[in-house]
């Protein structure tokens, strides 16, 4: 993971709290963090931080809440059910454009980590025309990425292909293997497994799209009321990221302990 991600985490937070904050804020001891993916690529640093007690050293307890779909995660955060969200970038960016007080305070991945994998007969971008492409769900980051990619390649995502909401990684994999879909985006761990099974790599989407993949977001109320809690949460997350970079095997072990499954490669 590039060092610039650490920089992005810190700068994003400092920009978000650049306005004057209360001198004596009531801080939180327990924070709820929503996430929409159980991918190793996007979840390992924060899971390691929890499993290895890095958040506890910062005086906070983190409760993970899994919610399918970035739009639903965002809605839960806006309503106050979540304090932070570890999610695809499109939902908070869209929320800001609609006037909601949502802030991106960190970036885990500054480029898309999806690869587009096809069935045995769908091997090129041109082969996608007229085919069914699987995504996680309506409004999901995978759908957002596919729409952007198709438009960049002169295809109308509503006319030239069929974008079908399939579900999470395991469901998309099964759908591809059973020829229910012709292609789907997958993160690196799932892509490796599919390539081993002989499925073709159509394209690494990170080479085509300059879009941040995973971010940490929160709402203005959290920044205003709990600035120290926010700092401590980010410090714990950064400690998790540093641990992943320096201790790969231990990080993988911690990931399994924290509930991640599948191939961590």
């Amino acid at each position: 993971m590039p060092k610039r991600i650490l920089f992005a985490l810190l700068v994003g937070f400092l920009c978000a709290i650049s306005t004057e904050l209360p001198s004596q804020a009531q801080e939180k001891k327990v924070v709820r963090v929503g996430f929409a993916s159980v991918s190793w690529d996007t979840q390992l640093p924060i899971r390691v931080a929890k499993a290895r007690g890095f958040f506890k050293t910062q005086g906070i307890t983190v409760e993970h809440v899994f919610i399918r779909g970035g739009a639903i995660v965002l809605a839960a955060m806006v309503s106050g059910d979540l304090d932070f969200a570890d999610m695809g970038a499109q939902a908070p960016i869209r929320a800001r454009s609609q006037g909601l007080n949502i802030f991106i305070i960190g970036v885990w991945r500054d480029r898309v980590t999806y690869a587009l994998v096809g069935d045995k007969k769908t091997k090129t971008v041109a082969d996608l025309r007229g085919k069914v492409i699987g995504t996680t769900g309506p409004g999901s980051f995978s759908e957002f990425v596919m729409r952007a990619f198709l438009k960049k390649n002169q295809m109308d995502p509503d006319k030239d292909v069929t974008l079908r909401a399939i579900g999470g990684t395991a469901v998309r994999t099964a759908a591809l293997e059973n020829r229910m879909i012709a292609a789907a985006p997958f993160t690196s761990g799932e892509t490796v497994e599919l390539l081993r099974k002989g499925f073709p790599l159509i394209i690494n989407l990170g080479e085509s799209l300059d879009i941040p993949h995973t971010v940490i977001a929160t709402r203005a109320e959290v920044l205003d009321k709990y600035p120290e809690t926010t700092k401590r949460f980010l410090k714990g997350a950064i400690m998790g990221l540093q641990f992943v970079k320096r201790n790969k095997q231990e990080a993988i072990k911690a990931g399994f302990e924290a509930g991640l499954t599948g191939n961590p490669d």
Side-chain angles (χ1 to χ4, degrees):
M1 296 184 184
K3 290 182 179 179
R4 63 179 176 272
I5 296 179
L6 291 175
F7 180 76
L9 283 166
L10 292 171
V11 170
F13 173 66
L14 290 174
C15 290
I17 63 168
S18 60
T19 56
E20 186 176 351
L21 296 172
S23 59
Q24 293 183 343
Q26 179 68 39
E27 299 300 333
K28 303 187 76 170
K29 298 297 183 183
V30 179
V31 297
R32 289 167 59 83
V33 182
F35 62 101
S37 169
V38 291
S39 164
W40 285 85
D41 269 357
T42 58
Q43 281 289 301
L44 187 56
I46 204 164
R47 295 300 184 100
V48 165
K50 184 176 181 180
R52 286 294 181 263
F54 298 145
F55 290 123
K56 287 187 177 180
T57 65
Q58 296 300 317
I60 59 174
T61 298
V62 169
E63 294 181 352
H64 270 92
V65 182
F66 176 69
I67 303 173
R68 177 70 67 190
I72 304 175
V73 172
L74 181 68
M77 185 168 60
V78 170
S79 71
D81 289 338
L82 300 173
D83 300 299
F84 304 100
D86 185 352
M87 63 194 307
Q90 95 287 358
I93 291 173
R94 187 176 296 153
R96 286 288 295 176
S97 70
Q98 294 171 349
L100 295 177
N101 283 326
I102 299 298
F103 290 87
I104 292 175
I105 60 172
V107 179
W108 285 124
R109 294 280 190 170
D110 59 357
R111 293 190 73 86
V112 173
T113 62
Y114 281 136
L116 186 61
V117 180
D119 63 15
K120 301 297 177 64
K121 296 182 179 180
T122 308
K123 301 179 180 181
T124 68
V125 174
D127 292 339
L128 294 172
R129 196 175 294 273
K131 303 285 183 67
V132 177
I133 301 173
T135 66
T136 306
S140 65
F141 186 66
S142 59
E143 182 190 60
F144 171 78
V145 167
M146 286 311 308
R147 286 183 174 276
F149 174 73
L150 291 165
K151 289 177 181 178
K152 186 173 182 179
N153 285 273
Q154 290 76 51
M155 279 189 266
D156 186 328
D158 296 312
K159 294 180 180 179
D160 295 324
V161 303
T162 299
L163 293 178
R164 182 169 297 166
I166 298 296
T169 298
V171 182
R172 292 201 309 279
T173 300
L176 188 66
E177 291 176 337
N178 289 287
R179 299 182 181 179
M180 295 172 60
I181 57 176
F186 296 92
T187 53
S188 58
E190 297 89 37
T191 298
V192 169
E193 285 299 307
L194 288 167
L195 296 185
R196 286 174 180 169
K197 294 178 180 179
F199 289 91
L201 174 66
I202 296 174
I203 191 170
N204 182 340
L205 292 168
E207 296 175 355
S208 176
L209 298 174
D210 187 15
I211 300 172
H213 192 122
T214 314
V215 302
I216 300 175
T218 190
R219 61 189 187 281
E221 180 187 6
V222 173
L223 295 174
D224 291 340
K225 291 185 176 180
Y226 312 113
E228 283 301 320
T229 301
T230 305
K231 288 180 184 179
R232 291 172 184 175
F233 172 71
L234 283 179
K235 285 180 181 178
I238 290 170
M239 291 170 70
L241 180 58
Q242 291 173 329
F243 187 91
V244 169
K245 293 177 67 175
R246 297 170 183 169
N247 306 276
K248 182 178 179 180
Q249 294 306 315
E250 283 297 311
I252 290 173
K253 181 180 177 182
F256 279 120
E257 291 173 359
L260 294 179
T261 60
N263 190 339
D265 291 339

